[in-house]
Amino acid sequence: MDQRDLREVVVGEERGLLGSKAYVRDYEEELDKIVLNINLDMIGTYMGKFIARVSAEDKLSQMLHQSIAAMI
């Protein structure tokens, strides 16, 4: 199994995507090494229920949907 580094990047919502643009600018030479991106969006509550949107590559998305369906 290949060994990989894990980098967690947290960028809050902001006008103009300043954090995202800064990351791309500062790590441009490493962008082709990224194998997975998980995007958490619209996290909050609605009528007392926790809501989160997760998007990622198709394989991970399918795995998440299957895991969630098994829990329901």
Side-chain angles (χ1 to χ4, degrees), residues 9-66:
V9 179
V10 179
V11 179
E13 289 186 31
E14 77 278 342
R15 189 173 301 176
L17 300 173
L18 300 176
S20 299
K21 289 176 182 177
Y23 181 83
V24 169
R25 181 191 66 233
D26 293 346
Y27 295 97
E28 185 175 1
E29 70 282 352
E30 298 179 12
L31 296 179
D32 62 337
K33 297 178 185 175
I34 296 173
V35 296
L36 177 65
N37 174 49
I38 301 173
N39 181 39
L40 299 174
D41 199 6
M42 297 169 40
I43 299 173
T45 57
Y46 177 71
M47 296 182 71
K49 294 185 179 183
F50 179 75
I51 300 172
R53 176 176 168 85
V54 178
S55 60
E57 278 78 18
D58 288 339
K59 187 175 182 179
L60 179 61
S61 292
Q62 291 171 5
M63 184 182 72
L64 289 172
H65 283 287
Q66 291 170 352

